[in-house]
Amino acid sequence: MTFELTILGATSATPIVDKHPTAQVVNYNDQLYLIDCGEGTQVQLLRYDLRFNRINHIFISHLHGDHYLGLMGLLSSMHLQKRTNPIHLYAPKGLDEILLAHFRYSHSVLHYPLFFHSFDDEESVLLMENEDITVHTIPMHHGITCCGFLFREKPKKLNINKEKLPPNLPIPLILALKEGEDIFFEGKYIHNQELTLSPKPLRAYAYCSDTKYTERMIHLLKEVDLLYHEATFTEDLANKIDEGTYHSTAKQAAKIAKKSNAKKLIIGHFSVRYGDLNILLAEAKEVFFHTVLAIEGQTYPISDE
Amino acid sequence: MTFELTILGATSATPIVDKHPTAQVVNYNDQLYLIDCGEGTQVQLLRYDLRFNRINHIFISHLHGDHYLGLMGLLSSMHLQKRTNPIHLYAPKGLDEILLAHFRYSHSVLHYPLFFHSFDDEESVLLMENEDITVHTIPMHHGITCCGFLFREKPKKLNINKEKLPPNLPIPLILALKEGEDIFFEGKYIHNQELTLSPKPLRAYAYCSDTKYTERMIHLLKEVDLLYHEATFTEDLANKIDEGTYHSTAKQAAKIAKKSNAKKLIIGHFSVRYGDLNILLAEAKEVFFHTVLAIEGQTYPISDE
């Protein structure tokens, strides 16, 4: 099953030519989950051939413009494309009011149902669940309501070890084995593990949006395969962070990765002051070696391999 | 005095890679006047080195997303740049409500005053006037409140014909001549024209935003030096226009230019279906020869020369 992350934008709020504010796409088995939607996201989706009609769920971490100002354009374009499948939108309260004003004054009546699911950042909640994954909020600390998102793969049916399978085993018992049950066959009790292959480890991706350094969410991030964490500044600007920007340094992002025992860290939301991002990467790697930069257009596997 | 137009975007609503929706800048004597502000406009301004702090007036023709969705990002970036000079924003009613919702939920209190001036499309009104220019609305016909904008140069003080000036003429009389007055000097009545150079013709630019073909505005466009008119479709799609898209063909744009006796026509707001825009240009030129395409990043003089 494909489980991967594509970065569409990874700069912070100040605009810059040929770079984009935050937006990324989780692909699970060709279903696309859009996370944040800064200005220009719809064109970035086109640029990297990620088709709008494969997106059914959109997650907006918070209502600073660089994380959602591309949403109205994208929703309007889906309307122009005559989409009929529903969109589920998960965001802090208020975005519904902004969208309604936009649609009212542009006289737009969407061709498709738009379901709005609001959340706050008091505690982690389950936002959505389907047969593949669950998505929970990860409360941040950013001055306004702000959450990251935790994507966890759900257990799959077990694969049968065909080499060991008795040739005359009835189908209902095979299905029971795939569900993880032990069986009783021809007078013998057979443990499930004897006839099935070990399940693959369940994979997880955690997106930590804009936030001041906080350990409040670490228990949610334990052992994730891939952790995205914002890393706006280098350490020499840490005092700026204390002055109320509610952002993190690269080193702080790495500390979170280390403390949560993540397998891999990807840093983003870079201040435009850094022409060369390797200074941020180096600072993070000092604390957590398995760190990479979020690069626009690049796709990262979500797995331990 | 510089008087020129720079195109930042000229596609219609459907997003496309490496092209941008409507936005353009009138430069009059290094003061920049932003007309419409589709998604991505702030980056286009950066790309063509048009500095945000030279913009004091922003004109939004109507509230379809492809004409204003870049505005919130631009206003937010001006705030991040610690701008203190006022912005005057001219737009149909409703944009104020959208902006207020955006600022409220992002907890933004702008560093600079933002003055909102609303208009409707009942009749042409004066929106602003300074020592250089006047700007009037040009009512369109687009299904929702929509206006274009007419920029007219104001008369300047006259230039003195130094070769003919009596050497002992007192300064108050010179100033009177520059204001266009006749004078009485050393017992002689002198007509203004004897001592001043002919004033340069006053230049004008008309921006006709999204509209169905309509002649209601032609009296406003008489003799303008440069006329921008939307030209979304070719003639073979004219029937589509009748089905309620409220747009024009290239040929219809040219008809407006011809009937208003404009000096030059620039067409834009192209449907993305046209890979080669020359088909639109050719159709317009059949009716009005002095037609050019709106090309992103290109600057067009506003003059008869």
Side-chain angles (χ1 to χ4, degrees):
Chain A
M1 283 302 185
T2 313
F3 194 18
E4 62 189 21
L5 173 74
T6 299
I7 298 294
L8 300 180
T11 66
S12 57
T14 307
I16 178 170
V17 175
D18 291 333
K19 295 272 175 70
H20 294 80
T22 305
Q24 46 183 258
V25 172
V26 169
N27 177 343
Y28 191 95
N29 195 23
D30 288 341
Q31 291 294 308
L32 305 184
Y33 301 83
L34 178 62
I35 301 174
D36 281 342
C37 189
E39 191 172 346
T41 296
Q42 58 176 339
V43 173
Q44 288 293 83
L45 286 164
L46 292 173
R47 180 170 281 129
Y48 299 113
D49 206 19
L50 298 163
R51 289 164 65 188
F52 297 179
N53 61 9
R54 289 204 284 139
I55 299 171
N56 296 306
H57 300 272
I58 301 175
F59 302 84
I60 302 294
S61 64
H62 66 295
L63 299 186
H64 283 152
D66 57 322
H67 290 255
Y68 86 90
L69 284 178
L71 183 66
M72 283 80 75
L74 176 61
L75 294 177
S76 297
S77 295
M78 287 171 160
H79 168 73
L80 288 175
Q81 287 182 348
K82 310 268 188 235
R83 177 193 184 100
T84 54
N85 285 337
I87 283 284
H88 291 269
L89 175 62
Y90 309 84
K93 189 112 197 71
L95 186 54
D96 47 345
E97 184 183 327
I98 294 168
L99 289 176
L100 284 173
H102 165 68
F103 293 134
R104 183 163 66 250
Y105 289 110
S106 60
H107 292 205
S108 302
V109 180
L110 294 182
H111 290 299
Y112 59 89
L114 176 64
F115 295 104
F116 183 74
H117 310 269
S118 71
F119 57 77
D120 60 33
D121 55 8
E122 293 298 307
E123 57 181 348
S124 177
V125 295
L126 176 69
L127 285 182
M128 66 144 286
E129 178 169 15
N130 58 24
E131 61 185 9
D132 295 323
I133 57 166
T134 57
V135 183
H136 286 81
T137 58
I138 308 171
M140 303 277 106
H141 183 24
H142 191 50
I144 68 171
T145 302
C146 182
C147 282
F149 305 106
L150 176 64
F151 287 71
R152 280 199 182 277
E153 193 172 29
K154 285 173 72 174
K156 297 283 182 301
K157 285 182 182 163
L158 295 170
N159 286 323
I160 300 296
N161 186 340
K162 287 175 187 162
E163 290 177 9
K164 298 198 175 168
L165 200 68
N168 52 344
L169 192 69
I171 286 176
L173 291 183
I174 293 176
L175 295 176
L177 284 170
K178 288 171 84 74
E179 295 290 345
E181 294 173 26
D182 299 335
I183 59 171
F184 196 77
F185 178 59
E186 292 183 344
K188 278 196 299 184
Y189 186 86
I190 307 174
H191 284 282
N192 185 281
Q193 289 89 327
E194 292 176 42
L195 297 183
T196 58
L197 300 170
S198 302
K200 286 188 180 167
L202 298 177
R203 297 167 290 178
Y205 169 59
Y207 168 76
C208 289
S209 181
D210 293 12
T211 191
K212 209 169 165 149
Y213 181 82
T214 170
E215 298 184 2
R216 72 184 284 210
M217 82 288 259
I218 282 181
H219 66 284
L220 297 168
L221 312 179
K222 286 289 175 205
E223 316 283 341
V224 295
D225 298 276
L226 185 62
L227 168 66
Y228 171 97
H229 197 288
E230 73 123 301
T232 309
F233 300 117
T234 44
E235 276 306 296
D236 57 323
L237 291 174
N239 62 332
K240 184 165 175 163
I241 299 168
D242 291 334
E243 285 165 14
T245 70
Y246 288 98
H247 285 295
S248 299
T249 63
K251 195 170 174 182
Q252 288 172 333
K255 269 188 204 168
I256 296 291
K258 190 174 184 183
K259 291 197 179 211
S260 58
N261 205 22
K263 311 283 171 37
K264 194 171 182 180
L265 170 66
I266 174 170
I267 55 173
H269 199 269
F270 311 117
S271 165
V272 297
R273 80 192 66 207
Y274 304 109
D276 179 2
L277 299 174
N278 284 308
I279 184 172
L280 291 152
L281 183 61
E283 288 196 3
K285 283 188 122 171
E286 273 178 33
V287 175
F288 187 81
F289 183 73
H290 298 290
T291 306
V292 294
L293 294 168
I295 305 290
E296 280 187 22
Q298 205 154 305
T299 295
Y300 304 79
I302 298 170
S303 77
D304 192 15
E305 288 149 25
Chain B
M1 284 301 187
T2 313
F3 194 17
E4 62 189 22
L5 173 74
T6 299
I7 298 294
L8 300 180
T11 66
S12 57
T14 307
I16 180 170
V17 176
D18 292 332
K19 296 271 177 70
H20 294 81
T22 306
Q24 46 184 256
V25 172
V26 168
N27 177 344
Y28 191 95
N29 195 23
D30 289 340
Q31 292 292 309
L32 305 183
Y33 301 84
L34 179 61
I35 302 175
D36 281 343
C37 189
E39 191 172 345
T41 296
Q42 58 176 339
V43 173
Q44 289 292 85
L45 287 165
L46 291 174
R47 179 170 281 126
Y48 299 112
D49 206 19
L50 298 162
R51 289 164 64 186
F52 297 179
N53 61 10
R54 288 203 284 138
I55 299 171
N56 296 306
H57 300 271
I58 301 175
F59 301 84
I60 301 295
S61 65
H62 66 297
L63 298 187
H64 282 154
D66 57 321
H67 290 255
Y68 86 89
L69 284 178
L71 183 65
M72 283 79 76
L74 176 61
L75 295 177
S76 297
S77 295
M78 287 171 161
H79 168 72
L80 288 176
Q81 285 181 348
K82 310 270 187 233
R83 178 192 181 99
T84 54
N85 284 337
I87 284 284
H88 291 269
L89 175 62
Y90 309 85
K93 190 112 197 70
L95 187 54
D96 47 345
E97 184 184 324
I98 294 169
L99 289 176
L100 284 174
H102 166 68
F103 293 133
R104 184 163 66 249
Y105 289 110
S106 61
H107 292 204
S108 302
V109 180
L110 294 182
H111 291 298
Y112 59 89
L114 176 64
F115 295 104
F116 183 75
H117 310 268
S118 70
F119 56 77
D120 60 33
D121 54 8
E122 292 299 306
E123 57 182 347
S124 178
V125 295
L126 176 68
L127 285 182
M128 64 145 286
E129 177 169 15
N130 57 25
E131 63 184 7
D132 295 323
I133 57 168
T134 57
V135 183
H136 286 80
T137 57
I138 308 171
M140 303 278 105
H141 183 23
H142 191 50
I144 68 171
T145 302
C146 182
C147 282
F149 306 105
L150 176 64
F151 288 70
R152 280 200 180 277
E153 192 170 32
K154 286 173 71 173
K156 296 284 182 300
K157 286 182 181 164
L158 295 171
N159 286 324
I160 300 297
N161 187 340
K162 287 174 186 162
E163 289 176 11
K164 298 196 175 169
L165 201 66
N168 53 345
L169 192 70
I171 286 176
L173 290 184
I174 294 177
L175 294 177
L177 284 170
K178 288 172 85 72
E179 296 289 345
E181 293 173 26
D182 298 335
I183 58 173
F184 196 76
F185 179 59
E186 293 182 345
K188 280 196 300 186
Y189 186 87
I190 308 175
H191 284 282
N192 186 281
Q193 291 88 327
E194 293 176 43
L195 296 184
T196 58
L197 300 170
S198 302
K200 287 188 178 167
L202 298 178
R203 297 166 291 177
Y205 169 59
Y207 168 76
C208 289
S209 182
D210 293 12
T211 191
K212 210 169 164 145
Y213 181 82
T214 170
E215 297 184 2
R216 72 184 284 212
M217 84 288 259
I218 282 180
H219 65 284
L220 297 168
L221 311 180
K222 286 286 177 209
E223 316 282 341
V224 294
D225 300 276
L226 184 63
L227 168 66
Y228 170 98
H229 197 289
E230 74 123 301
T232 310
F233 301 117
T234 43
E235 277 305 297
D236 58 324
L237 291 175
N239 63 333
K240 184 165 175 159
I241 298 167
D242 291 336
E243 284 165 16
T245 71
Y246 289 97
H247 284 295
S248 299
T249 63
K251 195 170 175 182
Q252 288 172 332
K255 269 188 204 166
I256 296 291
K258 190 173 185 182
K259 291 197 178 210
S260 57
N261 205 21
K263 312 283 172 36
K264 192 170 184 179
L265 170 66
I266 173 169
I267 54 172
H269 200 268
F270 311 118
S271 165
V272 295
R273 80 192 67 207
Y274 304 110
D276 179 2
L277 299 174
N278 285 307
I279 185 172
L280 291 151
L281 183 61
E283 287 195 5
K285 284 187 121 170
E286 273 177 32
V287 175
F288 187 80
F289 182 75
H290 299 290
T291 305
V292 294
L293 293 169
I295 306 290
E296 281 187 22
Q298 206 154 304
T299 295
Y300 304 80
I302 299 169
S303 77
D304 192 17
E305 287 149 26

